[in-house]
Amino acid sequence: MFEMLKARFFQGYRTGKFPPAAPNLPDHFCGRPQVEAHADIEAARALCPTHAWCEKAGAPAIDTGKCIFCGKCAACGVTFTREYRMAAMTREKLFADASPYTPEEQLDRGIRKMCGHSLKIRQVSAGGCAACELDFNVLNTLAWDMGRFGIQAVASPRHADAILVTGPVSRNMLLALKKTYEAMPKPCWVIASGACAVSGGIYAESPDVAGPVDKILPVDLYVPGCPPHPAVLLEALLRFIGRM
Amino acid sequence: MMDFLMLDNGAACAVNAIPCVEMAEFRAALIDGVTKQNCRVSAFCALDINSEKRLLAVLLDSALKKLKLLSSKVGTAYPALTCDAPAFHWFEREIWEEHKILPEGHRWLKPIRFSAPDAEIGVTDYFTLQGEAAHEVAVGPVHAGVIEPGHFRFQCMGEDVHFLEIELGYQCRGVEKLLSGGPDVKTLHLIETAAGDSSIAAALNYCAIAETMNHVEVPPRAVALRTLALELERIANHIGDLGALAGDVAFLPTSSFCGRIRGDFLNMTAKLCGNRFGRNFVIPGGVRFDLDDAGIAELQKKVLQGEKELFHALGLMFDAPSVLDRLENTGVVTAETAREIGMVGVAARASGVALDVRRDLNCDDFIPETVRGGDVLSRALVRKKELVHSLDVVKRLLAELPSGEVQTPCPATLTASTLGIHLVEAWRGELCHLVLTDENGKIRYVKIVDPSFHNWFGLAMALRGQQISDFPICNKSFNLSYCGHDL
Ligand code: SF4
Ligand code: SF4
């Protein structure tokens, strides 16, 4: 007992200050992209592994739901800002063009009132590379401690308010995903986390993939990234429940 | 055994140089290699060479430090190797599932990943146990925790597990198929995400193959930075596993400390390239980013700090009798079983089988960390020992990083009609990539053999005779990859 208290003292209090302080992001962090006026769109298109280029109001934009943030197009006139607030409640809001980021207007789908202080999440991993779920798990560690905001991963879908899906939804996970969703009491919310879940990501063209998630379930929150940095995901969840 | 083609790790050869022998000779050579010459099966697959279907075997001979290749023409069936050399069992099931080539006499012919378009995942004839006291427990694909999907069926007598059958395939998304036709803008990302927690190891394999085919020499500084990234990957994952084990036996201090310290090491990888899993860092010809002096100093400080906190946290766990009691003698896999079924990596070394690509193919003075027990505790101890080693490597590299460039230009193409192969000791165990190109230099076929592919059956063996409640810690002690297996 005494040893453990000593250990606790030695290891210190290490929960991050984010939020409200800004998160610690790595030097080479690729946040929300911004397409510069001089950007060579054709060249950028040609080297993009996930065909992430799209159009927004007639202008070229990057669909951050497809982008895996490999940063390759930085050489073609795309600036990767340090903006980590990237999640959106509609697919179109993920399109990043030349304009700088403006915080998304929250669509109230009832979640703030019902889950503002307690959000129980059932995670379902469906055909990705496992890094997305690893970095969701990290929010449980004491470095991020999402429990302080009442957010918790639960074992049973029956106890869950939201389902957080990672991966492009492999054909082999389709049934299990549907069943998990059906087992949740309604109303419930669906979160697609990571490029795979949002758009199929790098696996979008695979015949073994049945997704992305919004082909199967009504998605309420899209979180870009490959995988989304824990700060991106935590910010997304907190904004979603009206805590940011 | 004159017939084998001997290759160094990372070497390439012309497709026509792969020896092709009669099936009887092929079988005899492989069975002899595995059962008598102490070779292990690094890859065994079916592919088209010169428009004929062949079986290709890659054995690893640690005494010669060589990879030994041999192939044989095959029709729709051949006598199974599994009966004589069980290490082939999973490979033969894979070949049967993917190519409909029947290994005659294989006693357990079921799909391993239900990859056929008309396959119904999880629907197969499971082993069952008859009798009044027998009962069955089915778990998954969606598990209680935040982990990947897989289906486990326990045949129990009371609390005791008589047999565990593991059905995978839920993560199957066709990685190998997507790779064919490359190399293109997607290739490296697909390679890196086959198993997302081993991205560095996988990228190293592919890049080594691409570099050999293009005769590109990687600058020493890039080699050092790659090794640094690989060891950081190993460290982060080993810490995570030990923390998770502590969590599973409800020893919360180590569990929570390790969870955080693992994150600190992932952040060191992110320091190298911006991504916590090292994505986009290793590229053909070198690495994408250099590390400046300030970065080196920062990492050195963080490594020292992390090391201190880590061994303190681990000390708590390994000094606690209640933890040791739970881990010791739980989930034993004997050395004999490990060898026979072809286990690799941490799990094999924990059963006293000293195999490690770092010694078996690469450098002479590396000594694999082994422990004899074969139980959960041994698998934990191997990780702890490897952490010491990896941290030393990291500190040494940071202190003596060679100067110079970090990239040599490397064409994005591959040589035509060539086979390239490279293995690396990833944190779980040996990871093997084999790339075969067509006459235009396009990828015709990629075979990825994740360490988990060798080891899933080991987990099933570990559960025999255990209490069903021991499953979580046995599973954590292996911590195998579902996506790396399912591809
Ligand atoms: S950073 Fe995104 S948009 Fe740019 S090339 Fe990579 S995936 Fe495509
Ligand atoms: S989005 Fe990227 S990190 Fe997440 S599962 Fe897909 S490939 Fe892995």
Side-chain angles (χ1 to χ4, degrees):
Chain A
M1 172 71 194
F2 210 64
E3 276 306 308
M4 290 308 147
L5 286 174
K6 253 170 56 193
R8 171 73 175 73
F9 184 74
F10 174 83
Q11 299 272 349
Y13 178 80
R14 300 291 283 275
T15 303
K17 303 271 183 297
F18 167 77
N24 264 334
L25 298 168
D27 304 344
H28 299 293
F29 178 74
C30 287
R32 191 176 191 277
Q34 209 169 299
V35 184
E36 303 297 348
H38 65 270
D40 182 347
I41 310 295
E42 275 326 298
R45 232 183 248 280
L47 55 74
C48 180
T50 53
H51 310 295
W53 285 87
C54 62
E55 269 192 14
K56 186 175 172 182
I62 291 175
D63 177 354
T64 58
K66 288 187 177 172
C67 177
I68 57 168
F69 298 85
C70 67
K72 281 196 254 182
C73 56
C76 310
V78 174
T79 304
F80 285 89
T81 66
R82 297 184 67 75
E83 180 56 75
Y84 63 93
R85 293 170 297 176
M86 288 193 278
M89 293 177 72
T90 60
R91 198 64 183 71
E92 295 70 39
K93 289 258 168 56
L94 293 177
F95 299 176
D97 55 11
S99 55
Y101 176 76
T102 43
E104 188 200 11
E105 175 108 2
Q106 280 285 296
L107 308 172
D108 193 357
R109 293 187 185 152
I111 190 157
R112 261 176 286 181
K113 200 159 155 238
M114 290 184 71
C115 304
H117 294 278
S118 158
L119 179 70
K120 307 288 177 220
I121 300 176
R122 171 65 249 197
Q123 198 275 330
V124 175
S125 150
C129 78
C132 274
E133 38 279 30
L134 287 170
D135 259 359
F136 170 61
N137 244 339
V138 153
L139 295 181
N140 254 327
T141 65
L142 48 83
W144 298 88
D145 190 19
M146 64 178 177
R148 30 184 191 140
F149 307 103
I151 309 174
Q152 195 192 355
V154 292
S156 169
R158 303 249 185 253
H159 302 157
D161 305 307
I163 181 173
L164 186 148
V165 189
T166 56
V169 191
S170 50
R171 195 163 28 79
N172 285 347
M173 265 309 280
L174 182 60
L175 181 64
L177 175 63
K178 284 186 182 160
K179 281 190 174 177
T180 308
Y181 179 75
E182 280 157 20
M184 289 168 58
K186 308 289 177 301
C188 66
W189 292 269
V190 180
I191 303 164
S193 182
C196 283
V198 176
S199 68
I202 192 89
Y203 306 116
E205 283 148 24
S206 170
D208 296 322
V209 160
V213 180
D214 63 8
K215 230 164 103 181
I216 300 148
L217 302 176
V219 174
D220 297 288
L221 180 66
Y222 296 95
V223 190
C226 182
H229 189 278
V232 175
L233 184 54
L234 185 57
E235 192 275 338
L237 295 175
L238 290 176
R239 191 145 47 98
F240 191 50
I241 56 171
R243 299 279 299 259
M244 279 295 259
Chain B
M1 286 294 118
M2 292 297 295
D3 290 316
F4 285 106
L5 172 71
M6 305 277 197
L7 289 181
D8 286 325
N9 193 18
C13 69
V15 168
N16 287 332
I18 303 169
C20 186
V21 296
E22 286 303 316
M23 184 54 76
E25 205 183 322
F26 181 66
R27 289 187 75 255
L30 297 183
I31 293 166
D32 179 72
V34 172
T35 58
K36 301 223 176 69
Q37 316 293 332
N38 214 6
C39 293
R40 60 184 189 264
V41 193
S42 285
F44 183 56
C45 52
L47 35 73
D48 291 308
I49 293 179
N50 300 338
S51 10
E52 60 188 27
K53 194 58 104 199
R54 283 203 215 161
L55 293 178
L56 170 70
V58 180
L59 302 188
L60 191 160
D61 191 324
S62 55
L64 302 174
K65 293 191 188 294
K66 294 277 184 204
L67 294 165
K68 305 208 275 192
L69 280 68
L70 194 63
S71 75
S72 174
K73 255 190 274 183
V74 68
T76 52
Y78 71 99
L81 288 154
T82 301
C83 313
D84 300 293
F88 285 96
H89 72 128
W90 214 263
F91 292 101
E92 293 199 310
R93 283 173 64 181
E94 182 185 44
I95 291 171
W96 174 73
E97 179 174 14
E98 280 181 11
H99 302 270
K100 301 277 164 285
I101 298 171
L102 180 73
E104 287 160 342
H106 193 298
R107 270 170 268 163
W108 192 4
L109 222 40
K110 299 179 188 181
I112 60 165
R113 52 172 85 94
F114 299 87
S115 56
D118 56 348
E120 234 183 294
I121 179 85
V123 179
T124 181
D125 55 335
Y126 290 91
F127 285 107
T128 51
L129 203 57
Q130 307 294 330
E132 226 168 86
H135 67 106
E136 180 181 85
V137 179
V139 193
V142 180
H143 301 274
V146 179
I147 54 166
E148 296 182 75
H151 183 65
F152 300 87
R153 282 220 188 170
F154 301 87
Q155 306 300 330
C156 301
M157 301 276 281
E159 287 295 302
D160 293 337
V161 179
H162 194 71
F163 184 77
L164 160 63
E165 190 165 0
I166 303 173
E167 288 297 341
L168 300 171
Y170 294 90
Q171 297 284 65
C172 175
R173 58 219 185 276
V175 177
E176 288 175 343
K177 274 182 278 173
L178 290 171
L179 280 163
S180 63
D184 54 31
V185 288
K186 277 193 158 115
T187 305
L188 203 51
H189 305 290
L190 286 168
I191 292 277
E192 284 180 334
T193 56
D197 52 20
S198 309
S199 296
I200 295 282
L204 278 176
N205 265 353
Y206 177 77
C207 291
I209 293 169
E211 286 148 8
T212 303
M213 290 201 190
N214 287 300
H215 308 285
V216 166
E217 191 78 33
V218 180
R221 190 175 176 85
V223 173
L225 285 169
R226 285 174 169 191
T227 313
L228 178 70
L230 181 67
E231 294 309 319
L232 285 175
E233 183 171 88
R234 191 184 321 276
I235 293 168
N237 282 298
H238 280 2
I239 297 174
D241 286 352
L242 291 170
L245 263 181
D248 265 5
V249 298
F251 192 73
L252 297 184
T254 302
S255 155
S256 47
F257 298 146
C258 281
R260 195 255 310 158
I261 301 166
R262 167 179 173 271
D264 292 345
F265 279 92
L266 289 177
N267 289 339
M268 293 183 214
T269 301
K271 169 84 198 162
L272 295 176
C273 64
N275 183 293
R276 287 155 53 89
F277 296 88
R279 304 279 161 83
N280 314 307
F281 181 58
V282 180
I283 54 171
V287 295
R288 195 133 146 256
F289 300 103
D290 197 0
L291 186 63
D292 61 14
D293 289 343
I296 295 175
E298 187 188 324
L299 281 187
Q300 279 175 322
K301 214 175 106 207
K302 289 199 165 143
V303 169
L304 286 180
Q305 171 82 12
E307 182 178 33
K308 212 168 65 192
E309 290 167 357
L310 171 65
F311 288 110
H312 172 260
L314 293 182
L316 298 174
M317 168 179 169
F318 286 103
D319 283 347
S322 58
V323 173
L324 298 180
D325 182 52
R326 194 72 189 80
L327 306 186
E328 216 173 350
N329 295 324
T330 305
V332 176
V333 180
T334 62
E336 197 193 344
T337 303
R339 219 173 273 123
E340 205 177 8
I341 64 176
M343 274 166 61
V344 298
V346 168
R349 294 194 286 278
S351 292
V353 183
L355 41 82
D356 193 311
V357 173
R358 288 170 283 183
R359 180 203 59 186
D360 299 343
L361 288 175
N362 299 346
C363 87
D364 279 316
D365 53 4
F366 180 85
I367 303 167
E369 299 288 1
T370 56
V371 179
R372 274 214 197 83
D375 53 3
V376 173
L377 179 64
S378 305
R379 289 186 280 277
L381 285 172
V382 168
R383 287 183 172 90
K384 185 170 168 236
K385 288 177 161 200
E386 294 196 353
L387 280 168
V388 177
H389 173 82
S390 294
L391 283 160
D392 283 345
V393 174
V394 165
K395 284 187 286 185
R396 201 189 63 232
L397 287 170
L398 286 171
E400 306 164 359
L401 211 57
S403 56
E405 296 297 312
V406 296
Q407 278 173 37
T408 311
C410 180
T413 50
L414 299 173
T415 330
S417 305
T418 306
L419 179 122
I421 182 162
H422 194 268
L423 277 79
V424 69
E425 189 71 21
W427 62 276
R428 281 193 188 90
E430 71 172 62
L431 173 66
C432 170
H433 281 70
L434 185 149
V435 176
L436 183 83
T437 59
D438 64 14
E439 43 296 326
N440 302 314
K442 291 284 165 204
I443 296 176
R444 167 171 289 160
Y445 181 79
V446 174
K447 180 84 243 146
I448 303 172
V449 190
D450 191 270
S452 307
F453 189 90
H454 298 274
N455 282 3
W456 271 109
F457 191 60
L459 172 61
M461 294 303 289
L463 251 286
R464 290 196 182 173
Q466 291 294 307
Q467 299 250 302
I468 189 163
S469 54
D470 290 332
F471 177 67
I473 57 170
C474 288
N475 190 24
K476 288 273 160 52
S477 73
F478 279 82
N479 190 16
L480 301 176
S481 171
Y482 300 70
C483 53
H485 172 276
D486 293 348
L487 296 174

